Amino acid sequence: MGASDIQALAKKSHAARLVLDFDWSRSPVGSMSAWPPELTVAVQLAFQNKAPTLVAWGSELTQIYNDAFIAVLRERHPAALGQSVRACWADAWHVTGPIFQSVMRTGLATCITDMPITLQTLDVTETRFFDVNYAAIALENGTIGGVLSTCIEITDRHLLQQLDQS
């Protein structure tokens, strides 16, 4: 598994093409040729996944994501690629940060449904709702290399439920 496997996926994926073109040697993740196999497999799984999927790698939680995750990022894309989760999602870090840190520390997966996240977008503050799964990406030596996160935005469903209840 390696960059050639990601190259094959790039024919079908905008995000995969961006990952191939990105200068990872200038990031905490390092050059793609030196990526551990676990990172390459996680990135391949993200690109093959139809749900919005994020790989947050290393102690900096450097972001790599699939095409579906671009809708979650909105105007944060494409600058989010290669950026730390903490920097990209600074407005939500007080909610998501402890979850990422817990998964990195314990290796235990977690699932949160109907998770409210208040975000600042284009001079508007809005609360969006997500169902989110966080899973540890274990390295061969047993340590945790990163987090694989899938999410589904359920803001519309949440708002409809609120209307039905009123």
Side-chain angles (χ1 to χ4, degrees):
M1 300 258 166
S4 62
D5 298 301
I6 295 172
Q7 285 174 330
L9 293 169
K11 294 175 184 170
K12 300 177 188 174
S13 167
H14 171 69
R17 284 190 299 278
L18 292 176
V19 166
L20 285 173
D21 292 341
F22 193 85
D23 184 1
W24 292 103
S25 66
R26 302 182 89 151
S27 80
V29 175
S31 173
M32 281 184 82
S33 62
W35 283 7
E38 298 87 352
L39 173 56
T40 301
V41 168
V43 170
Q44 286 180 293
L45 289 171
F47 292 149
Q48 292 171 354
N49 199 340
K50 299 299 182 199
T53 306
L54 168 73
V55 174
W57 191 256
S59 61
E60 295 294 318
L61 297 170
T62 302
Q63 297 185 124
I64 303 169
Y65 48 84
N66 69 359
D67 289 342
F69 199 80
I70 293 170
V72 174
L73 288 162
R74 296 185 182 173
E75 74 279 350
R76 297 169 200 247
H77 171 75
L81 184 66
Q83 190 178 40
S84 76
V85 172
R86 184 179 193 142
C88 180
W89 301 100
D91 46 356
W93 184 250
H94 66 286
V95 174
T96 61
I99 301 164
F100 277 103
Q101 292 168 335
S102 175
V103 174
M104 288 292 290
R105 187 178 64 256
T106 67
L108 298 175
T110 190
C111 176
I112 301 171
T113 57
D114 208 24
M115 179 181 190
I117 299 179
T118 301
L119 299 168
Q120 182 71 34
T121 58
L122 300 174
D123 300 326
V124 175
T125 300
E126 63 179 343
T127 300
R128 295 163 62 190
F129 294 84
F130 297 88
D131 289 344
V132 188
N133 292 288
Y134 300 86
I137 304 168
L139 296 172
E140 185 178 348
N141 65 9
T143 63
I144 305 304
V147 176
L148 180 73
S149 178
T150 57
C151 68
I152 303 294
E153 183 165 358
I154 59 162
T155 302
D156 291 342
R157 183 175 77 199
H158 182 83
L159 294 174
L160 284 172
Q161 287 173 344
Q162 284 184 325
L163 285 173
D164 288 345
Q165 294 172 359
S166 56

Coordinates of all heavy atoms in Angstrom, one line a residue, residues 44-133:
Q44 N -7.0 5.6 2.3 CA -7.7 4.8 1.3 C -9.1 4.5 1.7 O -10.1 4.7 0.9 CB -7.0 3.5 1.0 CG -5.7 3.7 0.2 CD -5.1 2.4 -0.1 OE1 -4.6 1.7 0.8 NE2 -5.1 2.0 -1.3
L45 N -9.3 4.1 3.0 CA -10.6 3.9 3.5 C -11.5 5.1 3.4 O -12.7 5.1 3.1 CB -10.6 3.3 4.9 CG -10.1 1.9 5.0 CD1 -9.8 1.6 6.5 CD2 -11.0 0.9 4.4
A46 N -10.9 6.3 3.8 CA -11.6 7.5 3.7 C -12.1 7.8 2.3 O -13.3 8.2 2.1 CB -10.8 8.7 4.3
F47 N -11.2 7.6 1.3 CA -11.6 7.9 0.0 C -12.6 7.0 -0.6 O -13.4 7.3 -1.4 CB -10.4 7.9 -0.9 CG -9.4 9.1 -0.7 CD1 -8.1 8.9 -0.9 CD2 -9.8 10.3 -0.2 CE1 -7.1 9.9 -0.7 CE2 -8.9 11.3 0.0 CZ -7.6 11.1 -0.2
Q48 N -12.7 5.8 -0.1 CA -13.6 4.8 -0.5 C -15.0 4.9 0.2 O -16.0 4.4 -0.3 CB -13.1 3.4 -0.3 CG -11.9 3.1 -1.2 CD -11.3 1.8 -0.9 OE1 -11.6 1.1 0.1 NE2 -10.3 1.4 -1.7
N49 N -15.0 5.6 1.3 CA -16.2 5.8 2.1 C -17.1 6.8 1.4 O -16.6 7.9 1.0 CB -15.8 6.2 3.5 CG -16.9 6.0 4.5 OD1 -18.1 5.8 4.1 ND2 -16.5 6.0 5.8
K50 N -18.4 6.6 1.4 CA -19.4 7.5 0.9 C -19.8 8.6 1.9 O -20.2 9.7 1.6 CB -20.6 6.8 0.4 CG -20.3 5.8 -0.8 CD -19.8 6.5 -2.0 CE -19.6 5.5 -3.1 NZ -18.6 6.0 -4.1
A51 N -19.6 8.3 3.2 CA -20.0 9.2 4.3 C -18.8 10.2 4.4 O -17.6 9.9 4.1 CB -20.2 8.5 5.6
P52 N -19.1 11.4 4.9 CA -18.0 12.4 5.1 C -17.0 11.7 6.1 O -17.4 11.3 7.2 CB -18.7 13.6 5.7 CG -20.1 13.5 5.2 CD -20.4 12.0 5.1
T53 N -15.8 11.7 5.7 CA -14.8 11.0 6.5 C -13.5 11.8 6.6 O -13.0 12.3 5.6 CB -14.4 9.6 5.9 OG1 -15.6 8.9 5.7 CG2 -13.5 8.8 6.8
L54 N -13.0 11.9 7.8 CA -11.8 12.6 8.1 C -10.7 11.7 8.8 O -11.1 11.0 9.7 CB -12.1 13.8 9.1 CG -11.0 14.5 9.8 CD1 -10.3 15.4 8.8 CD2 -11.5 15.3 11.0
V55 N -9.5 11.8 8.3 CA -8.4 11.2 9.0 C -7.6 12.3 9.7 O -7.2 13.3 9.0 CB -7.5 10.4 8.0 CG1 -6.2 9.9 8.7 CG2 -8.2 9.3 7.3
A56 N -7.5 12.2 11.0 CA -6.7 13.2 11.8 C -5.5 12.5 12.3 O -5.6 11.6 13.1 CB -7.6 13.8 12.9
W57 N -4.3 12.9 11.8 CA -3.1 12.1 12.0 C -2.1 12.8 12.9 O -1.8 14.0 12.7 CB -2.4 11.7 10.6 CG -1.4 10.7 10.8 CD1 0.0 10.9 10.8 CD2 -1.6 9.3 11.1 NE1 0.6 9.7 11.0 CE2 -0.3 8.7 11.2 CE3 -2.7 8.5 11.2 CZ2 -0.1 7.4 11.4 CZ3 -2.5 7.2 11.4 CH2 -1.2 6.6 11.5
G58 N -1.5 12.0 13.8 CA -0.4 12.4 14.6 C -0.8 13.3 15.7 O -2.0 13.6 15.9
S59 N 0.1 13.7 16.5 CA -0.2 14.6 17.7 C -0.8 15.9 17.3 O -1.5 16.5 18.1 CB 1.1 14.8 18.5 OG 2.1 15.5 17.7
E60 N -0.5 16.4 16.1 CA -1.1 17.6 15.6 C -2.5 17.4 15.0 O -3.2 18.4 14.7 CB -0.2 18.2 14.5 CG 1.1 18.7 15.0 CD 1.0 19.8 16.0 OE1 0.2 20.7 15.8 OE2 1.7 19.8 17.0
L61 N -2.9 16.1 14.8 CA -4.2 15.8 14.2 C -4.4 16.5 12.9 O -5.3 17.2 12.6 CB -5.4 16.2 15.2 CG -5.4 15.4 16.5 CD1 -6.4 16.0 17.4 CD2 -5.7 13.9 16.3
T62 N -3.4 16.3 12.0 CA -3.4 16.8 10.7 C -4.5 16.2 9.8 O -4.6 15.0 9.8 CB -2.0 16.6 10.0 OG1 -1.0 17.2 10.9 CG2 -1.9 17.2 8.6
Q63 N -5.2 17.0 9.1 CA -6.4 16.6 8.4 C -6.2 16.1 7.0 O -5.5 16.8 6.2 CB -7.4 17.7 8.3 CG -7.9 18.2 9.6 CD -9.0 19.3 9.5 OE1 -10.1 19.1 10.0 NE2 -8.7 20.3 8.7
I64 N -6.8 15.0 6.7 CA -6.9 14.5 5.3 C -8.4 14.0 5.3 O -8.8 13.3 6.2 CB -5.9 13.3 5.1 CG1 -4.5 13.7 5.3 CG2 -6.1 12.8 3.6 CD1 -3.5 12.6 5.3
Y65 N -9.1 14.3 4.2 CA -10.5 14.0 4.2 C -11.0 13.6 2.7 O -10.3 13.9 1.8 CB -11.3 15.2 4.7 CG -10.9 16.5 4.1 CD1 -11.5 17.0 2.9 CD2 -10.0 17.4 4.7 CE1 -11.1 18.2 2.3 CE2 -9.7 18.6 4.2 CZ -10.2 19.0 3.0 OH -9.8 20.2 2.5
N66 N -12.1 13.1 2.7 CA -12.7 12.6 1.4 C -13.6 13.7 0.8 O -13.8 14.7 1.4 CB -13.4 11.3 1.6 CG -14.7 11.3 2.4 OD1 -15.1 12.4 2.9 ND2 -15.3 10.2 2.5
D67 N -14.1 13.4 -0.4 CA -14.9 14.3 -1.1 C -16.2 14.7 -0.3 O -16.6 15.9 -0.3 CB -15.4 13.7 -2.5 CG -14.2 13.7 -3.5 OD1 -13.2 14.3 -3.3 OD2 -14.4 12.9 -4.5
A68 N -16.8 13.7 0.3 CA -18.0 14.0 1.0 C -17.8 14.9 2.2 O -18.7 15.7 2.6 CB -18.6 12.7 1.5
F69 N -16.6 14.9 2.8 CA -16.3 15.8 3.9 C -16.2 17.3 3.5 O -16.4 18.2 4.4 CB -15.0 15.4 4.6 CG -14.9 15.9 6.0 CD1 -15.6 15.3 7.1 CD2 -14.1 17.0 6.3 CE1 -15.4 15.8 8.4 CE2 -13.9 17.4 7.6 CZ -14.6 16.8 8.6
I70 N -16.0 17.5 2.3 CA -15.9 18.9 1.8 C -17.2 19.7 2.1 O -17.2 20.9 2.4 CB -15.6 19.0 0.3 CG1 -14.2 18.4 0.0 CG2 -15.7 20.4 -0.3 CD1 -13.8 18.2 -1.4
A71 N -18.4 19.0 2.0 CA -19.7 19.6 2.4 C -19.7 20.0 3.8 O -20.4 21.0 4.2 CB -20.8 18.7 2.0
V72 N -19.1 19.3 4.7 CA -19.0 19.6 6.1 C -18.1 20.8 6.3 O -18.4 21.7 7.1 CB -18.5 18.4 6.9 CG1 -18.3 18.7 8.4 CG2 -19.4 17.2 6.8
L73 N -17.0 20.8 5.6 CA -16.0 21.9 5.7 C -16.6 23.3 5.2 O -16.2 24.3 5.7 CB -14.7 21.6 5.0 CG -13.9 20.5 5.6 CD1 -12.9 20.0 4.5 CD2 -13.1 21.1 6.8
R74 N -17.3 23.2 4.1 CA -17.8 24.4 3.4 C -16.7 25.3 3.1 O -15.7 24.8 2.4 CB -18.9 25.1 4.3 CG -20.1 24.3 4.5 CD -21.2 25.1 5.2 NE -22.3 24.3 5.5 CZ -23.3 24.7 6.3 NH1 -23.3 25.9 6.8 NH2 -24.4 23.9 6.5
E75 N -16.7 26.5 3.5 CA -15.6 27.5 3.0 C -14.3 27.2 3.6 O -13.3 27.8 3.3 CB -16.0 28.9 3.3 CG -16.0 29.4 4.7 CD -17.2 28.9 5.5 OE1 -18.2 28.4 5.0 OE2 -17.1 29.1 6.8
R76 N -14.2 26.3 4.6 CA -12.9 25.9 5.2 C -12.0 25.1 4.2 O -10.8 25.0 4.4 CB -13.1 25.2 6.5 CG -13.8 26.0 7.5 CD -14.2 25.2 8.7 NE -15.2 25.8 9.4 CZ -15.1 26.3 10.7 NH1 -14.0 26.1 11.3 NH2 -16.1 26.9 11.3
H77 N -12.6 24.5 3.2 CA -11.9 23.8 2.2 C -11.5 24.8 1.1 O -12.3 25.7 0.7 CB -12.9 22.7 1.6 CG -12.3 22.0 0.3 ND1 -11.4 21.1 0.4 CD2 -12.6 22.2 -1.0 CE1 -11.1 20.7 -0.8 NE2 -11.8 21.4 -1.7
P78 N -10.4 24.6 0.5 CA -9.4 23.6 0.6 C -8.3 23.9 1.6 O -7.4 23.0 1.8 CB -8.8 23.6 -0.8 CG -8.8 25.0 -1.3 CD -10.1 25.5 -0.7
A79 N -8.3 25.0 2.3 CA -7.3 25.3 3.3 C -7.2 24.3 4.4 O -6.1 24.2 5.0 CB -7.5 26.7 3.8
A80 N -8.3 23.6 4.6 CA -8.3 22.6 5.7 C -7.4 21.4 5.5 O -6.9 20.8 6.4 CB -9.7 22.1 5.9
L81 N -7.1 21.1 4.2 CA -6.2 20.0 3.9 C -4.8 20.2 4.5 O -4.2 21.2 4.2 CB -6.2 19.7 2.4 CG -5.4 18.5 2.0 CD1 -6.1 17.2 2.5 CD2 -5.2 18.5 0.5
G82 N -4.4 19.3 5.3 CA -3.0 19.4 5.9 C -3.0 20.3 7.1 O -1.9 20.4 7.7
Q83 N -4.1 20.9 7.5 CA -4.2 21.7 8.6 C -4.6 20.9 9.8 O -5.2 19.8 9.7 CB -5.3 22.8 8.4 CG -5.3 23.9 9.4 CD -6.4 25.0 9.0 OE1 -7.5 24.6 8.5 NE2 -6.1 26.2 9.1
S84 N -4.2 21.3 11.0 CA -4.6 20.6 12.2 C -6.1 20.8 12.5 O -6.7 21.8 12.1 CB -3.8 21.1 13.4 OG -4.3 22.3 13.9
V85 N -6.7 19.8 13.1 CA -8.1 19.9 13.4 C -8.3 21.1 14.3 O -9.3 21.8 14.1 CB -8.6 18.6 14.1 CG1 -10.0 18.7 14.6 CG2 -8.5 17.4 13.1
R86 N -7.4 21.2 15.3 CA -7.6 22.3 16.2 C -7.6 23.7 15.5 O -8.4 24.6 15.9 CB -6.5 22.3 17.3 CG -6.6 23.3 18.3 CD -5.5 23.3 19.4 NE -5.9 24.1 20.5 CZ -5.7 23.8 21.7 NH1 -5.1 22.7 22.0 NH2 -6.1 24.6 22.7
A87 N -6.7 23.9 14.6 CA -6.7 25.2 13.8 C -7.9 25.4 12.9 O -8.5 26.4 12.9 CB -5.4 25.3 13.0
C88 N -8.3 24.3 12.2 CA -9.4 24.4 11.3 C -10.7 24.6 12.0 O -11.5 25.4 11.5 CB -9.4 23.1 10.4 SG -10.8 23.1 9.2
W89 N -10.9 23.9 13.1 CA -12.2 23.9 13.8 C -12.0 24.6 15.1 O -12.6 24.2 16.1 CB -12.7 22.5 14.0 CG -12.9 21.8 12.7 CD1 -12.0 20.9 12.1 CD2 -14.0 21.9 11.8 NE1 -12.6 20.4 10.9 CE2 -13.8 21.1 10.7 CE3 -15.2 22.7 11.9 CZ2 -14.7 21.0 9.7 CZ3 -16.1 22.6 10.8 CH2 -15.8 21.7 9.7
A90 N -11.2 25.7 15.2 CA -11.0 26.4 16.5 C -12.3 26.8 17.2 O -12.4 26.7 18.4 CB -10.1 27.6 16.2
D91 N -13.3 27.1 16.4 CA -14.6 27.5 17.0 C -15.3 26.4 17.6 O -16.2 26.5 18.4 CB -15.5 28.3 16.0 CG -15.6 27.6 14.6 OD1 -14.9 26.6 14.4 OD2 -16.3 28.1 13.8
A92 N -15.0 25.1 17.3 CA -15.6 23.9 17.8 C -14.7 23.1 18.7 O -15.1 22.1 19.2 CB -16.2 23.1 16.7
W93 N -13.4 23.5 18.8 CA -12.5 22.7 19.5 C -12.9 22.4 21.0 O -12.6 21.3 21.5 CB -11.1 23.4 19.5 CG -10.0 22.6 20.1 CD1 -9.3 22.8 21.3 CD2 -9.5 21.3 19.6 NE1 -8.4 21.8 21.5 CE2 -8.5 20.9 20.5 CE3 -9.7 20.6 18.5 CZ2 -7.8 19.7 20.3 CZ3 -9.0 19.4 18.3 CH2 -8.1 19.0 19.2
H94 N -13.6 23.3 21.6 CA -14.0 23.1 23.0 C -14.9 21.9 23.1 O -15.0 21.2 24.1 CB -14.6 24.3 23.6 CG -15.9 24.7 23.0 ND1 -16.0 25.3 21.7 CD2 -17.2 24.6 23.4 CE1 -17.2 25.6 21.4 NE2 -18.0 25.1 22.4
V95 N -15.6 21.6 22.0 CA -16.5 20.4 21.9 C -15.8 19.2 21.4 O -15.8 18.1 22.0 CB -17.7 20.7 21.0 CG1 -18.6 19.5 20.9 CG2 -18.5 21.9 21.6
T96 N -15.1 19.3 20.3 CA -14.5 18.2 19.6 C -13.1 17.8 20.1 O -12.7 16.6 20.1 CB -14.4 18.4 18.1 OG1 -13.6 19.5 17.8 CG2 -15.8 18.6 17.5
G97 N -12.4 18.8 20.6 CA -11.0 18.6 21.1 C -10.9 17.5 22.1 O -10.1 16.5 22.0
P98 N -11.7 17.5 23.2 CA -11.6 16.5 24.2 C -11.9 15.1 23.7 O -11.4 14.1 24.1 CB -12.7 16.9 25.3 CG -12.8 18.4 25.1 CD -12.6 18.6 23.6
I99 N -12.8 15.0 22.7 CA -13.1 13.7 22.1 C -11.9 13.2 21.3 O -11.5 12.0 21.5 CB -14.4 13.8 21.2 CG1 -15.6 14.3 22.0 CG2 -14.7 12.5 20.5 CD1 -16.7 14.8 21.1
F100 N -11.3 14.0 20.4 CA -10.1 13.6 19.7 C -9.0 13.2 20.7 O -8.4 12.1 20.5 CB -9.6 14.7 18.8 CG -10.3 14.7 17.4 CD1 -11.3 15.7 17.2 CD2 -10.0 13.9 16.4 CE1 -12.0 15.8 16.0 CE2 -10.7 13.9 15.2 CZ -11.6 14.9 15.0
Q101 N -8.8 14.0 21.7 CA -7.7 13.7 22.6 C -8.0 12.4 23.4 O -7.0 11.7 23.6 CB -7.6 14.9 23.6 CG -7.0 16.1 22.9 CD -7.1 17.4 23.7 OE1 -8.0 17.5 24.6 NE2 -6.3 18.4 23.4
S102 N -9.2 12.2 23.8 CA -9.5 10.9 24.5 C -9.3 9.7 23.6 O -8.7 8.7 24.1 CB -11.0 10.9 24.9 OG -11.4 9.7 25.5
V103 N -9.7 9.8 22.3 CA -9.5 8.6 21.4 C -8.0 8.4 21.2 O -7.5 7.3 21.2 CB -10.2 8.8 20.1 CG1 -9.8 7.7 19.1 CG2 -11.7 8.9 20.3
M104 N -7.2 9.5 21.1 CA -5.8 9.4 20.9 C -5.1 8.8 22.2 O -4.2 8.0 22.1 CB -5.1 10.8 20.6 CG -5.4 11.3 19.2 SD -4.6 10.3 17.9 CE -2.9 10.8 18.1
R105 N -5.6 9.2 23.3 CA -5.0 8.7 24.6 C -5.4 7.3 24.9 O -4.6 6.5 25.4 CB -5.4 9.7 25.7 CG -4.8 9.4 27.0 CD -5.2 10.4 28.1 NE -6.6 10.3 28.4 CZ -7.6 11.2 28.0 NH1 -7.2 12.2 27.3 NH2 -8.8 11.0 28.3
T106 N -6.7 6.9 24.7 CA -7.2 5.6 25.2 C -7.3 4.6 24.1 O -7.3 3.4 24.4 CB -8.6 5.8 25.8 OG1 -9.5 6.2 24.8 CG2 -8.6 6.8 26.9
G107 N -7.4 5.0 22.8 CA -7.7 4.1 21.8 C -9.1 3.6 21.7 O -9.4 2.8 20.8
L108 N -10.0 4.1 22.5 CA -11.4 3.7 22.5 C -12.2 4.5 21.6 O -12.2 5.8 21.6 CB -11.9 3.8 23.9 CG -11.3 3.0 25.0 CD1 -11.9 3.3 26.4 CD2 -11.4 1.5 24.7
A109 N -13.0 3.8 20.8 CA -13.9 4.5 19.8 C -15.0 5.1 20.6 O -15.4 4.7 21.7 CB -14.4 3.5 18.8
T110 N -15.6 6.1 19.9 CA -16.8 6.7 20.5 C -17.8 7.1 19.4 O -17.4 7.4 18.3 CB -16.5 7.9 21.4 OG1 -17.6 8.3 22.2 CG2 -15.9 9.1 20.7
C111 N -19.1 7.2 19.7 CA -20.1 7.6 18.8 C -21.0 8.6 19.5 O -21.4 8.3 20.7 CB -20.9 6.4 18.4 SG -22.3 6.8 17.3
I112 N -21.2 9.7 18.9 CA -22.1 10.7 19.5 C -23.2 11.1 18.5 O -22.9 11.4 17.3 CB -21.3 12.0 19.8 CG1 -20.1 11.6 20.8 CG2 -22.1 13.1 20.4 CD1 -19.2 12.7 21.1
T113 N -24.4 11.0 18.9 CA -25.5 11.3 18.1 C -26.1 12.7 18.5 O -26.0 13.1 19.6 CB -26.6 10.3 18.2 OG1 -27.1 10.2 19.5 CG2 -26.1 8.9 17.7
D114 N -26.6 13.4 17.5 CA -27.3 14.7 17.6 C -26.3 15.7 18.4 O -26.7 16.4 19.3 CB -28.6 14.5 18.4 CG -29.6 15.6 18.1 OD1 -29.5 16.2 17.0 OD2 -30.4 15.8 19.0
M115 N -25.1 15.7 17.9 CA -24.0 16.5 18.5 C -24.1 18.0 18.0 O -23.9 18.2 16.8 CB -22.7 16.0 18.2 CG -21.5 16.7 18.7 SD -20.0 15.8 18.2 CE -18.8 16.7 19.1
P116 N -24.5 19.0 18.8 CA -24.5 20.3 18.4 C -23.1 21.0 18.3 O -22.3 20.8 19.3 CB -25.4 21.0 19.4 CG -25.1 20.2 20.7 CD -24.8 18.8 20.2
I117 N -22.8 21.6 17.2 CA -21.5 22.3 17.1 C -21.9 23.7 16.6 O -22.4 23.8 15.5 CB -20.6 21.6 16.2 CG1 -20.3 20.2 16.7 CG2 -19.3 22.4 16.0 CD1 -19.3 19.4 15.9
T118 N -21.4 24.7 17.3 CA -21.7 26.1 16.9 C -20.4 26.6 16.1 O -19.3 26.5 16.6 CB -22.0 27.0 18.1 OG1 -23.1 26.5 18.7 CG2 -22.2 28.4 17.6
L119 N -20.6 27.0 14.9 CA -19.5 27.4 14.0 C -19.7 28.8 13.5 O -20.9 29.2 13.2 CB -19.5 26.4 12.8 CG -19.2 24.9 13.2 CD1 -19.5 24.0 12.0 CD2 -17.8 24.8 13.7
Q120 N -18.6 29.4 13.2 CA -18.6 30.8 12.6 C -18.3 30.6 11.1 O -17.3 30.1 10.8 CB -17.5 31.6 13.3 CG -17.5 33.1 12.8 CD -18.7 33.9 13.2 OE1 -19.2 33.7 14.3 NE2 -19.1 34.8 12.3
T121 N -19.3 31.0 10.3 CA -19.1 30.9 8.9 C -19.5 32.2 8.2 O -20.6 32.6 8.4 CB -19.9 29.7 8.3 OG1 -21.3 29.9 8.6 CG2 -19.5 28.4 8.8
L122 N -18.6 32.8 7.5 CA -18.9 34.0 6.7 C -19.7 35.0 7.5 O -20.8 35.4 7.0 CB -19.6 33.6 5.4 CG -18.9 32.7 4.4 CD1 -19.8 32.3 3.3 CD2 -17.6 33.3 3.9
D123 N -19.2 35.4 8.6 CA -19.9 36.4 9.4 C -21.2 35.9 10.0 O -22.0 36.8 10.5 CB -20.0 37.7 8.7 CG -18.7 38.3 8.2 OD1 -17.7 38.1 9.0 OD2 -18.7 38.9 7.2
V124 N -21.5 34.7 10.0 CA -22.7 34.1 10.6 C -22.3 33.0 11.6 O -21.5 32.2 11.3 CB -23.6 33.6 9.5 CG1 -24.9 32.9 10.1 CG2 -24.0 34.6 8.5
T125 N -22.9 33.1 12.7 CA -22.7 32.0 13.7 C -23.9 31.1 13.6 O -25.1 31.6 13.6 CB -22.6 32.6 15.1 OG1 -21.5 33.5 15.2 CG2 -22.4 31.4 16.1
E126 N -23.7 29.8 13.4 CA -24.8 28.9 13.3 C -24.5 27.6 14.0 O -23.3 27.2 14.2 CB -25.0 28.5 11.8 CG -23.9 27.8 11.1 CD -24.2 27.5 9.6 OE1 -25.4 27.5 9.2 OE2 -23.3 27.2 8.9
T127 N -25.5 27.0 14.5 CA -25.4 25.7 15.2 C -25.8 24.6 14.2 O -26.9 24.7 13.6 CB -26.2 25.6 16.5 OG1 -25.8 26.7 17.3 CG2 -26.0 24.3 17.1
R128 N -24.9 23.7 14.0 CA -25.1 22.5 13.1 C -25.1 21.3 14.0 O -24.5 21.2 15.0 CB -24.1 22.5 12.0 CG -24.2 23.7 11.1 CD -22.9 23.9 10.2 NE -22.6 22.8 9.3 CZ -21.5 22.7 8.6 NH1 -20.5 23.6 8.7 NH2 -21.3 21.7 7.9
F129 N -25.8 20.2 13.5 CA -25.9 19.0 14.3 C -25.4 17.8 13.5 O -25.6 17.8 12.3 CB -27.4 18.7 14.7 CG -27.9 19.8 15.6 CD1 -28.4 21.0 15.2 CD2 -27.9 19.5 17.0 CE1 -28.9 21.9 16.0 CE2 -28.4 20.5 17.9 CZ -28.9 21.7 17.4
F130 N -24.7 17.0 14.2 CA -24.0 15.8 13.5 C -24.2 14.6 14.3 O -24.2 14.6 15.6 CB -22.5 16.1 13.4 CG -22.1 17.3 12.5 CD1 -22.1 18.6 13.1 CD2 -21.9 17.1 11.2 CE1 -21.8 19.7 12.3 CE2 -21.6 18.2 10.4 CZ -21.5 19.5 10.9
D131 N -24.2 13.4 13.6 CA -23.9 12.1 14.2 C -22.5 11.8 13.8 O -22.1 11.8 12.6 CB -24.9 11.1 13.6 CG -26.3 11.2 14.1 OD1 -26.5 11.9 15.1 OD2 -27.2 10.6 13.4
V132 N -21.6 11.6 14.8 CA -20.2 11.4 14.6 C -19.7 10.2 15.2 O -20.0 9.8 16.4 CB -19.4 12.7 15.2 CG1 -18.0 12.6 14.7 CG2 -20.1 14.0 14.7
N133 N -18.8 9.5 14.5 CA -18.1 8.3 15.0 C -16.6 8.7 15.0 O -16.1 9.2 14.0 CB -18.3 7.1 14.1 CG -19.7 6.6 14.2 OD1 -20.1 6.1 15.3 ND2 -20.5 6.8 13.2

